[in-house]
Amino acid sequence: MSDHEILPNRGCAPPRLSTLAVHAGEERLKPGNAITDAIFCTATYTFPDTQAVLDFVEQEEQTREEYGRYGNPTEKVAERKLAALEGGESAVLFATGMAAVTGLLLAKLKAGDEIILFNECYHRTRQFCREHLTKFGIRTHEIPACDYDRMEAAIGPSTKLLVSESPTNPHLSVVDLERFAELGRRHGVETLIDATLGTPYNVRPLETGVDYVLHSCTKYLAGHNDMLAGVVIGSEEKMAEVRELRGILGAINSPHNFYLLLRGLKTFELRMQRHNENGQALAEFLHAHPRVEKVFYPGLPSHPYHEIARRTMKGFGGLLTFQIKGADWRRTADVVDRVRIPRIGPSLGGVESIIEQPSLMSYHSYTQEQREAVGIFDNMIRVSCGIENPEDLVADFAQALDS
Ligand SMILES: *Cc1c(COP(=O)(O)O)cnc(C)c1O
């Protein structure tokens, strides 16, 4: 057992999430005897002599670095920590969530293959499949979210991967992960869940048999709206070719970002508890408000996926979407402009609350008809609850809706 694996105390249960978030993946003794991991600002790594070069190239198991595009010591710590949090064998970090998506798909698919996506996947993921994978002869089928029968009917001999997000954004649909994983297994097709909104605190896709879990670490994992990163986690065997391709694509993070990610992860469980608390409190307040038409939040009994969410999620996250009764985009914008705590912007999962109108932000380039076809309406507001005080957030929305 190497030094960076946390030893369970004799007779104790294996370490739980917050203990892993603080300690997993780290050496007990670090350079300079520091308690924190160092930032290695280096493009290359040197060898003491030619024999060391020969030892390195002939070694199967690499214990040192060679060149910055293939790895960095702080990155290895972050990858081990993320794998431990997810309960997976191997994590490969990328420069962004989208670099992780494109890296995984390019590593796993070839001309003639087909992939099937639920249509509430991240819009850039769907765009990449539709506009770019097609150039390499890879076909994509989009199926309405959580329609497992239609997904199954679309599976053919060339199908290589089933893809979904859970929960989805901005509708917060929740995939029945066991059913999704079982569908893949039964047909010998691999499965991928983008669990960015769920996080390893709220959902555990690998434990249900899903093959790959992907996160935009930009969101809850790094958690501070100050950096971008992405990660894919799966078995050692399945991740080997993803790591190999990353070294060729070069979509890697800067040494400073590895440190920021590690720093953010230390408080992961604490932050998630507050994100969940704030999401639930704000969703319940909005649900009861006379000006609100509808709230999308899996923690509300009125949400169509509430039962699946209760069965499969520990908490329901910090993201929610709601609609203002009878409002056009302008009157909806009045509410957005009146809140004092959340800042207006894209992204989610950071300590600062963020608010946006999906029809004006992510879906701006769509026509009205295209937007409505994917369930995006002018009176929708998406809120990413940060870790502020829940009463303050609720009071802020109360004054914005009532004035
Ligand atoms: C943000 C996001 C991505 C893309 O991640 P980046 O780090 O912005 O590249 C992918 N999937 C989901 C669900 C996201 O929210």
Side-chain angles (χ1 to χ4, degrees), residues 94-101 120-125 165-169 194-198 214-219 227-230 319 347-348 382:
F94 285 84
T96 65
M98 278 316 297
V101 170
E120 288 179 14
C121 278
Y122 189 62
H123 66 119
R124 296 294 183 204
T125 300
E165 203 170 305
S166 189
T168 68
N169 171 15
D194 178 340
T196 299
L197 267 66
L214 185 145
H215 295 280
S216 166
C217 305
T218 312
K219 317 293 170 54
M227 60 163 290
L228 292 97
L319 195 83
S347 202
L348 60 104
R382 191 189 82 170

Side-chain angles (χ1 to χ4, degrees), residues 197-237:
L197 267 66
T199 82
Y201 183 76
N202 285 333
V203 294
R204 312 288 305 168
L206 293 180
E207 287 167 14
T208 67
V210 165
D211 294 293
Y212 306 99
V213 178
L214 185 145
H215 295 280
S216 166
C217 305
T218 312
K219 317 293 170 54
Y220 290 107
L221 290 169
H224 291 71
N225 289 323
D226 57 2
M227 60 163 290
L228 292 97
V231 70
V232 188
I233 299 157
S235 70
E236 199 77 55
E237 190 193 344

Side-chain angles (χ1 to χ4, degrees), residues 127-383:
Q127 185 181 7
F128 176 71
C129 293
R130 213 171 44 231
E131 295 175 14
H132 299 277
L133 286 184
T134 43
K135 290 190 286 195
F136 303 99
I138 298 157
R139 287 184 49 194
T140 303
H141 302 280
E142 282 190 27
I143 303 290
C146 304
D147 191 336
Y148 307 95
D149 292 336
R150 278 180 70 177
M151 181 170 257
E152 179 157 24
I155 296 175
S158 307
T159 308
K160 287 290 145 59
L161 194 63
L162 308 180
V163 184
S164 185
E165 203 170 305
S166 189
T168 68
N169 171 15
H171 297 96
L172 287 305
S173 303
V174 180
V175 171
D176 185 336
L177 295 175
E178 274 177 23
R179 195 165 169 191
F180 181 74
E182 192 274 330
L183 186 57
R185 239 185 349 260
R186 190 148 37 83
H187 290 273
V189 179
E190 290 190 328
T191 46
L192 161 67
I193 288 288
D194 178 340
T196 299
L197 267 66
T199 82
Y201 183 76
N202 285 333
V203 294
R204 312 288 305 168
L206 293 180
E207 287 167 14
T208 67
V210 165
D211 294 293
Y212 306 99
V213 178
L214 185 145
H215 295 280
S216 166
C217 305
T218 312
K219 317 293 170 54
Y220 290 107
L221 290 169
H224 291 71
N225 289 323
D226 57 2
M227 60 163 290
L228 292 97
V231 70
V232 188
I233 299 157
S235 70
E236 199 77 55
E237 190 193 344
K238 289 183 198 292
M239 292 309 297
E241 57 188 328
V242 180
R243 188 177 297 283
E244 177 105 9
L245 183 63
R246 183 193 63 180
I248 298 170
L249 296 174
I252 51 140
N253 260 293
S254 81
H256 290 89
N257 277 0
F258 301 135
Y259 178 81
L260 283 175
L261 176 56
L262 280 176
R263 161 84 176 229
L265 283 169
K266 297 269 175 179
T267 54
F268 171 65
E269 183 169 33
L270 295 175
R271 287 186 287 103
M272 286 316 299
Q273 288 166 344
R274 180 55 73 86
H275 285 299
N276 285 345
E277 186 188 344
N278 285 355
Q280 188 72 35
L282 188 59
E284 285 174 11
F285 166 77
L286 292 169
H287 182 69
H289 197 281
R291 283 195 65 199
V292 174
E293 176 187 326
K294 188 171 177 182
V295 182
F296 298 80
Y297 187 72
L300 291 178
S302 60
H303 191 268
Y305 295 94
H306 180 63
E307 276 313 309
I308 292 174
R310 266 189 14 161
R311 194 152 45 77
T312 60
M313 297 179 78
K314 181 166 175 147
F316 308 109
L319 195 83
L320 60 88
T321 303
F322 67 103
Q323 288 170 280
I324 309 280
K325 258 181 211 159
D328 59 6
W329 74 266
R330 186 61 259 180
R331 289 190 53 213
T332 307
D334 286 343
V335 177
V336 169
D337 288 335
R338 269 193 219 114
V339 292
R340 308 311 318 166
I341 295 173
R343 314 291 294 269
I344 301 173
S347 202
L348 60 104
V351 292
E352 295 95 356
S353 290
I354 292 183
I355 190 166
E356 64 149 14
Q357 275 173 275
S359 66
L360 302 186
M361 195 82 74
S362 304
Y363 291 87
H364 186 68
S365 63
Y366 285 48
T367 65
Q368 186 81 7
E369 269 157 34
Q370 285 172 328
R371 277 201 287 271
E372 287 181 9
V374 289
I376 301 294
F377 302 99
D378 284 347
N379 65 345
M380 266 183 168
I381 296 175
R382 191 189 82 170
V383 186

Side-chain angles (χ1 to χ4, degrees), residues 40-61:
F40 293 92
C41 281
T42 185
T44 188
Y45 302 88
T46 61
F47 295 83
D49 53 29
T50 304
Q51 189 54 50
V53 176
L54 293 174
D55 291 347
F56 175 77
V57 295
E58 283 161 11
Q59 227 176 355
E60 293 239 327
E61 185 101 347

